Amino acid sequence: MSSATLDANKALVLAHYDAVINRHDPDAIRAHLAPGFFDHAAGKRMGADEVIAHSAALHEAFADLSAVAECLVAERDIVAGRLVWRGRHRSPWRGIPPTGRHVEFRGMTFWRIREGRITERWAEIDFAGLERLLRG
């Protein structure tokens, strides 16, 4: 795979984080995802509308939500990223009432890219640590 393709794959993943986390841009989310997108963390195929609903719920729960890639690596059709998410807890999330706390949590995600669109996602995000922080 050419370095231009690997760079394009990384750019797509960064654009997707920007659309889902940093800006909540439904049109961009639809453009990024391939039909039949499979989210291994959720254990199911997800249509763009489900991803958009997930993004909206995160933005409702966390004000000023952002994600920053600390590291991105691309090989073949996979992009791996280590990211940090930040925001302020402003409405209930996973049954935890709003705390107003500023939060920061990390995770690692792998994305499969085919023909310029995202086809699969594997994620290990420290939601347990986030829950401890919010309950603390």
Side-chain angles (χ1 to χ4, degrees):
M1 190 163 283
S2 74
S3 65
T5 300
L6 296 174
D7 288 345
N9 288 350
K10 289 193 292 188
L12 173 61
V13 167
L14 287 174
H16 189 65
Y17 275 109
D18 189 52
V20 172
I21 304 300
N22 298 337
R23 295 183 299 120
H24 182 68
D25 182 343
D27 291 335
I29 293 167
R30 283 187 187 90
H32 298 155
L33 298 177
F37 166 72
F38 193 90
D39 188 323
H40 293 271
K44 65 180 184 173
R45 293 199 184 286
M46 293 179 72
D49 289 340
E50 287 178 272
V51 176
I52 291 164
H54 172 73
S55 172
L58 283 172
H59 282 270
E60 176 63 28
F62 298 98
D64 307 318
L65 187 62
S66 69
V68 175
E70 295 181 320
C71 178
L72 280 183
V73 177
E75 185 174 316
R76 295 186 306 271
D77 62 351
I78 299 288
V79 175
R82 186 181 74 238
L83 285 98
V84 59
W85 289 261
R86 293 180 180 97
R88 184 178 47 78
H89 185 214
R90 70 172 168 192
S91 72
W93 182 75
R94 293 190 174 186
I96 302 169
T99 63
R101 290 186 180 138
H102 289 275
V103 297
E104 180 175 300
F105 56 100
R106 288 179 163 66
M108 291 186 229
T109 307
F110 287 72
W111 303 87
R112 183 178 310 278
I113 313 297
R114 293 221 172 106
E115 298 178 7
R117 297 184 77 187
I118 298 169
T119 61
E120 293 179 80
R121 172 185 178 260
W122 296 262
E124 295 292 332
I125 301 169
D126 187 16
F127 288 132
L130 176 57
E131 286 186 25
R132 281 191 306 276
L133 174 67
L134 295 175
R135 292 183 194 282

